[in-house]
Amino acid sequence: MSKTIAILAPGAMGSAVARRLSENGARVLTSLKGRSEATLKRAADAGMIGAEDDAIADADIILSIVPPGEAVALAERLAALIVKRAKKPVVVDCNAVNVDTVKRIEEIIGSAQAPFVDGGIIGFPPQPGGKSPAFYMSGEHAGDLAALRDFGLDLRIVEGPVGAASALKMSYAGIVKGLAGIGSAMVVAATKAGAADALRDELALSQPAILARLEVALPDMIPKAYRWVAEMQEISGFLGPDHPASQIYEGFAKWFEHLAGDAKGEAIDASLLKAFAASIAKKKA
Protein backbone atom coordinates (compact mmCIF):
# COMPACT_ATOMS: atom_id res chain seq x y z
CA MET A 1 0.00 0.00 0.00
CA SER A 2 1.35 3.38 -1.00
CA LYS A 3 2.02 5.72 1.90
CA THR A 4 3.11 9.33 2.15
CA ILE A 5 5.43 9.79 5.10
CA ALA A 6 6.82 13.14 6.24
CA ILE A 7 10.12 13.20 8.12
CA LEU A 8 11.20 16.26 10.02
CA ALA A 9 14.03 16.89 9.76
CA PRO A 10 16.49 15.68 7.09
CA GLY A 11 19.44 15.24 9.44
CA ALA A 12 21.77 12.25 9.52
CA MET A 13 19.17 9.87 10.98
CA GLY A 14 16.14 11.41 9.27
CA SER A 15 17.65 11.31 5.80
CA ALA A 16 18.93 7.73 6.24
CA VAL A 17 15.47 6.61 7.36
CA ALA A 18 13.95 8.46 4.40
CA ARG A 19 16.26 6.64 2.00
CA ARG A 20 15.19 3.28 3.43
CA LEU A 21 11.50 4.18 3.15
CA SER A 22 11.74 5.57 -0.39
CA GLU A 23 13.77 2.56 -1.56
CA ASN A 24 10.84 0.41 -0.45
CA GLY A 25 8.14 2.41 -2.21
CA ALA A 26 7.09 5.11 0.22
CA ARG A 27 6.73 8.74 -0.81
CA VAL A 28 8.80 10.77 1.67
CA LEU A 29 8.29 14.48 2.26
CA THR A 30 10.29 16.95 4.31
CA SER A 31 10.56 20.67 4.94
CA LEU A 32 13.57 22.35 3.33
CA LYS A 33 12.88 25.98 4.19
CA GLY A 34 16.05 27.75 5.21
CA ARG A 35 18.18 24.62 5.06
CA SER A 36 21.83 24.64 4.01
CA GLU A 37 23.12 23.45 0.63
CA ALA A 38 24.57 20.37 2.35
CA THR A 39 21.16 19.52 3.82
CA LEU A 40 19.42 20.07 0.48
CA LYS A 41 21.85 17.65 -1.16
CA ARG A 42 21.48 15.08 1.63
CA ALA A 43 17.69 15.22 1.31
CA ALA A 44 17.82 14.86 -2.48
CA ASP A 45 20.23 11.93 -2.25
CA ALA A 46 17.83 10.25 0.18
CA GLY A 47 14.88 10.60 -2.19
CA MET A 48 13.13 13.15 0.01
CA ILE A 49 10.71 15.58 -1.62
CA GLY A 50 10.74 19.17 -0.41
CA ALA A 51 7.19 20.14 0.53
CA GLU A 52 5.21 23.05 1.92
CA ASP A 53 3.62 22.79 5.34
CA ASP A 54 0.16 22.01 3.94
CA ALA A 55 1.47 18.96 2.08
CA ILE A 56 3.32 17.75 5.16
CA ALA A 57 0.14 18.02 7.22
CA ASP A 58 -1.64 15.85 4.61
CA ALA A 59 0.85 12.97 4.99
CA ASP A 60 -0.32 9.62 6.34
CA ILE A 61 2.44 9.48 8.94
CA ILE A 62 4.72 12.21 10.31
CA LEU A 63 7.99 11.15 11.95
CA SER A 64 9.62 13.74 14.19
CA ILE A 65 13.38 13.05 14.20
CA VAL A 66 15.12 16.13 15.60
CA PRO A 67 17.53 16.96 18.44
CA PRO A 68 15.67 16.52 21.75
CA GLY A 69 15.74 20.22 22.52
CA GLU A 70 13.67 20.90 19.38
CA ALA A 71 11.00 18.22 19.88
CA VAL A 72 8.39 20.32 21.73
CA ALA A 73 8.65 23.28 19.34
CA LEU A 74 8.20 20.95 16.36
CA ALA A 75 5.15 19.38 18.00
CA GLU A 76 3.61 22.84 18.44
CA ARG A 77 4.28 23.64 14.80
CA LEU A 78 2.72 20.36 13.66
CA ALA A 79 -0.35 20.79 15.85
CA ALA A 80 -1.00 24.21 14.33
CA LEU A 81 -0.83 22.67 10.85
CA ILE A 82 -3.03 19.67 11.62
CA VAL A 83 -5.76 21.16 13.79
CA LYS A 84 -8.07 22.30 10.95
CA ARG A 85 -7.75 19.13 8.88
CA ALA A 86 -10.46 16.50 8.80
CA LYS A 87 -7.95 13.75 7.90
CA LYS A 88 -5.32 13.54 10.61
CA PRO A 89 -1.85 12.03 10.18
CA VAL A 90 -0.38 9.72 12.78
CA VAL A 91 2.31 11.79 14.49
CA VAL A 92 5.29 9.89 15.91
CA ASP A 93 7.86 11.47 18.21
CA CYS A 94 11.06 9.50 17.63
CA ASN A 95 13.29 11.74 19.72
CA ALA A 96 15.48 11.05 22.74
CA VAL A 97 13.22 12.76 25.25
CA ASN A 98 12.12 11.74 28.72
CA VAL A 99 8.69 10.49 29.70
CA ASP A 100 7.44 13.86 30.97
CA THR A 101 8.52 15.54 27.74
CA VAL A 102 6.85 12.98 25.49
CA LYS A 103 3.62 13.22 27.50
CA ARG A 104 3.71 16.99 27.01
CA ILE A 105 4.16 16.39 23.27
CA GLU A 106 1.22 13.96 23.34
CA GLU A 107 -0.95 16.71 24.84
CA ILE A 108 0.14 19.18 22.15
CA ILE A 109 -0.62 16.78 19.30
CA GLY A 110 -3.81 15.66 21.03
CA SER A 111 -5.01 19.27 21.07
CA ALA A 112 -5.16 18.95 17.25
CA GLN A 113 -7.15 15.67 17.60
CA ALA A 114 -4.39 13.71 15.84
CA PRO A 115 -3.33 10.18 16.85
CA PHE A 116 0.04 10.17 18.59
CA VAL A 117 2.69 7.47 19.03
CA ASP A 118 5.70 7.51 21.34
CA GLY A 119 8.82 6.27 19.54
CA GLY A 120 12.44 5.56 20.39
CA ILE A 121 15.20 4.74 17.90
CA ILE A 122 18.00 2.44 19.04
CA GLY A 123 20.84 1.88 16.60
CA PHE A 124 22.72 3.70 13.88
CA PRO A 125 21.23 5.36 10.78
CA PRO A 126 20.42 2.62 8.23
CA GLN A 127 22.95 2.24 5.44
CA PRO A 128 22.12 0.93 1.93
CA GLY A 129 21.93 -2.85 2.17
CA GLY A 130 22.33 -2.76 5.95
CA LYS A 131 19.89 -3.42 8.74
CA SER A 132 17.46 -0.89 10.13
CA PRO A 133 17.84 0.49 13.63
CA ALA A 134 15.12 -0.65 16.00
CA PHE A 135 12.07 1.62 16.07
CA TYR A 136 10.33 0.99 19.39
CA MET A 137 6.75 2.32 19.51
CA SER A 138 4.22 2.56 22.32
CA GLY A 139 0.76 3.95 22.89
CA GLU A 140 -2.70 2.95 21.71
CA HIS A 141 -2.00 3.95 18.10
CA ALA A 142 1.34 2.11 17.78
CA GLY A 143 -0.36 -0.64 15.77
CA ASP A 144 -1.35 1.92 13.14
CA LEU A 145 2.28 2.02 12.02
CA ALA A 146 2.53 -1.59 10.83
CA ALA A 147 3.03 -0.36 7.24
CA LEU A 148 6.47 0.92 8.24
CA ARG A 149 7.64 -2.70 8.35
CA ASP A 150 6.66 -3.05 4.69
CA PHE A 151 8.86 -0.05 3.91
CA GLY A 152 11.96 -1.57 5.50
CA LEU A 153 11.94 -0.39 9.11
CA ASP A 154 12.47 -2.68 12.10
CA LEU A 155 9.29 -1.75 13.97
CA ARG A 156 8.91 -3.13 17.49
CA ILE A 157 5.86 -2.55 19.67
CA VAL A 158 6.40 -1.89 23.37
CA GLU A 159 3.32 -2.98 25.25
CA GLY A 160 2.39 0.03 27.31
CA PRO A 161 1.17 3.61 27.13
CA VAL A 162 2.82 6.69 25.65
CA GLY A 163 6.05 7.01 27.61
CA ALA A 164 7.02 3.33 27.53
CA ALA A 165 9.11 3.61 24.35
CA SER A 166 10.79 6.78 25.59
CA ALA A 167 11.54 5.12 28.94
CA LEU A 168 13.25 2.28 27.07
CA LYS A 169 15.27 4.77 25.00
CA MET A 170 16.29 6.77 28.09
CA SER A 171 17.33 3.64 29.97
CA TYR A 172 19.29 2.17 27.06
CA ALA A 173 21.04 5.46 26.23
CA GLY A 174 21.74 6.04 29.90
CA ILE A 175 23.67 2.78 30.02
CA VAL A 176 25.44 2.89 26.64
CA LYS A 177 26.30 6.59 26.53
CA GLY A 178 26.85 6.67 30.27
CA LEU A 179 29.57 4.04 29.82
CA ALA A 180 31.12 6.19 27.09
CA GLY A 181 31.03 9.15 29.47
CA ILE A 182 32.68 7.23 32.30
CA GLY A 183 35.30 5.68 30.01
CA SER A 184 36.25 8.92 28.29
CA ALA A 185 36.49 10.86 31.55
CA MET A 186 38.75 8.24 33.14
CA VAL A 187 40.92 7.88 30.03
CA VAL A 188 41.58 11.62 29.97
CA ALA A 189 42.32 11.67 33.71
CA ALA A 190 44.65 8.67 33.47
CA THR A 191 46.46 10.12 30.46
CA LYS A 192 47.08 13.47 32.14
CA ALA A 193 48.45 11.62 35.18
CA GLY A 194 50.81 9.54 33.04
CA ALA A 195 48.91 6.26 33.49
CA ALA A 196 47.34 5.80 30.05
CA ASP A 197 49.48 2.83 29.00
CA ALA A 198 49.06 1.13 32.36
CA LEU A 199 45.28 1.60 32.22
CA ARG A 200 45.14 0.20 28.69
CA ASP A 201 47.23 -2.83 29.60
CA GLU A 202 45.24 -3.59 32.76
CA LEU A 203 41.95 -3.35 30.89
CA ALA A 204 43.38 -5.69 28.25
CA LEU A 205 44.12 -8.25 30.98
CA SER A 206 41.06 -7.95 33.22
CA GLN A 207 38.35 -6.18 31.14
CA PRO A 208 39.02 -6.94 27.45
CA ALA A 209 35.40 -6.36 26.44
CA ILE A 210 35.45 -2.85 27.93
CA LEU A 211 38.75 -2.07 26.21
CA ALA A 212 37.38 -3.25 22.86
CA ARG A 213 34.35 -1.03 23.34
CA LEU A 214 36.49 1.99 24.19
CA GLU A 215 38.58 1.49 21.06
CA VAL A 216 35.46 2.07 18.97
CA ALA A 217 33.45 4.35 21.25
CA LEU A 218 36.04 7.01 22.05
CA PRO A 219 36.75 8.29 18.52
CA ASP A 220 33.11 7.72 17.53
CA MET A 221 31.71 9.88 20.33
CA ILE A 222 33.78 13.01 19.69
CA PRO A 223 31.90 14.30 16.62
CA LYS A 224 28.58 13.31 18.24
CA ALA A 225 29.20 14.81 21.69
CA TYR A 226 27.27 18.00 20.93
CA ARG A 227 24.14 15.93 20.23
CA TRP A 228 24.45 14.04 23.49
CA VAL A 229 24.30 17.11 25.75
CA ALA A 230 20.51 17.55 25.63
CA GLU A 231 20.04 13.78 25.70
CA MET A 232 21.93 13.53 29.00
CA GLN A 233 19.74 16.31 30.39
CA GLU A 234 16.65 14.40 29.29
CA ILE A 235 17.95 11.26 31.03
CA SER A 236 18.51 13.29 34.19
CA GLY A 237 14.91 14.47 33.92
CA PHE A 238 13.78 10.88 33.35
CA LEU A 239 15.31 9.89 36.67
CA GLY A 240 13.78 12.95 38.34
CA PRO A 241 15.28 15.73 40.48
CA ASP A 242 15.06 13.71 43.69
CA HIS A 243 16.86 10.66 42.28
CA PRO A 244 20.43 10.47 43.63
CA ALA A 245 21.77 9.49 40.19
CA SER A 246 20.18 12.37 38.25
CA GLN A 247 23.19 14.58 38.89
CA ILE A 248 25.43 11.98 37.26
CA TYR A 249 23.73 12.67 33.94
CA GLU A 250 23.86 16.44 34.44
CA GLY A 251 27.58 15.91 34.88
CA PHE A 252 27.77 13.88 31.68
CA ALA A 253 25.93 16.70 29.88
CA LYS A 254 28.64 19.15 30.99
CA TRP A 255 31.37 16.68 30.04
CA PHE A 256 29.98 16.10 26.55
CA GLU A 257 29.49 19.86 26.11
CA HIS A 258 33.15 20.32 26.97
CA LEU A 259 34.23 17.59 24.55
CA ALA A 260 32.06 19.07 21.79
CA GLY A 261 33.71 22.46 22.14
CA ASP A 262 37.11 20.87 22.58
CA ALA A 263 36.74 18.77 19.43
CA LYS A 264 36.04 21.80 17.25
CA GLY A 265 39.53 23.08 17.91
CA GLU A 266 41.12 19.64 18.11
CA ALA A 267 42.19 20.65 21.61
CA ILE A 268 43.81 18.48 24.19
CA ASP A 269 41.07 16.26 25.66
CA ALA A 270 39.65 15.16 22.31
CA SER A 271 43.15 14.43 21.04
CA LEU A 272 43.94 12.40 24.17
CA LEU A 273 40.89 10.20 23.58
CA LYS A 274 41.86 9.62 19.97
CA ALA A 275 45.42 8.82 20.99
CA PHE A 276 44.25 6.27 23.58
CA ALA A 277 42.03 4.53 21.04
CA ALA A 278 44.89 4.50 18.54
CA SER A 279 47.21 2.97 21.12
CA ILE A 280 44.76 0.09 21.65
CA ALA A 281 44.83 -0.71 17.94
CA LYS A 282 48.60 -0.38 17.80
CA LYS A 283 49.08 -2.69 20.77
CA LYS A 284 46.96 -5.37 19.09
CA ALA A 285 48.88 -5.14 15.80
Side-chain angles (χ1 to χ4, degrees), residues 127-185:
Q127 300 301 313
K131 68 178 183 178
S132 164
F135 281 74
Y136 286 96
M137 304 292 182
S138 70
E140 65 174 300
H141 298 288
D144 297 346
L145 301 174
L148 293 178
R149 292 193 180 101
D150 298 331
F151 296 121
L153 297 188
D154 180 3
L155 183 71
R156 306 181 187 184
I157 305 298
V158 180
E159 295 299 333
V162 165
S166 287
L168 170 62
K169 172 66 176 178
M170 291 288 94
S171 303
Y172 183 89
I175 294 170
V176 174
K177 293 173 183 175
L179 289 172
I182 292 170
S184 58

Side-chain angles (χ1 to χ4, degrees), residues 175-201:
I175 294 170
V176 174
K177 293 173 183 175
L179 289 172
I182 292 170
S184 58
M186 290 300 101
V187 164
V188 167
T191 303
K192 289 180 177 179
D197 289 349
L199 176 63
R200 179 200 63 214
D201 294 345

Side-chain angles (χ1 to χ4, degrees), residues 53-227:
D53 286 350
D54 284 347
I56 287 170
D58 285 334
D60 298 300
I61 298 169
I62 300 178
L63 302 179
S64 170
I65 306 178
V66 294
E70 300 175 17
V72 172
L74 177 56
E76 291 171 342
R77 175 186 164 197
L78 292 173
L81 294 175
I82 295 165
V83 66
K84 295 181 180 180
R85 282 172 161 70
K87 175 181 173 290
K88 309 288 186 179
V90 181
V91 178
V92 189
D93 184 276
C94 299
N95 304 304
V97 296
N98 70 48
V99 174
D100 288 343
T101 303
V102 83
K103 287 184 176 179
R104 181 182 172 195
I105 292 170
E106 179 188 24
E107 290 177 359
I108 293 168
I109 299 301
S111 70
Q113 292 80 50
F116 177 77
V117 175
D118 173 25
I121 304 173
I122 294 180
F124 296 107
Q127 300 301 313
K131 68 178 183 178
S132 164
F135 281 74
Y136 286 96
M137 304 292 182
S138 70
E140 65 174 300
H141 298 288
D144 297 346
L145 301 174
L148 293 178
R149 292 193 180 101
D150 298 331
F151 296 121
L153 297 188
D154 180 3
L155 183 71
R156 306 181 187 184
I157 305 298
V158 180
E159 295 299 333
V162 165
S166 287
L168 170 62
K169 172 66 176 178
M170 291 288 94
S171 303
Y172 183 89
I175 294 170
V176 174
K177 293 173 183 175
L179 289 172
I182 292 170
S184 58
M186 290 300 101
V187 164
V188 167
T191 303
K192 289 180 177 179
D197 289 349
L199 176 63
R200 179 200 63 214
D201 294 345
E202 176 54 37
L203 287 172
L205 288 171
S206 61
Q207 303 290 340
I210 292 177
L211 187 67
R213 184 168 188 86
L214 290 176
E215 181 182 2
V216 176
L218 294 182
D220 180 67
M221 69 176 286
I222 293 169
K224 299 177 181 176
Y226 76 97
R227 299 205 311 257

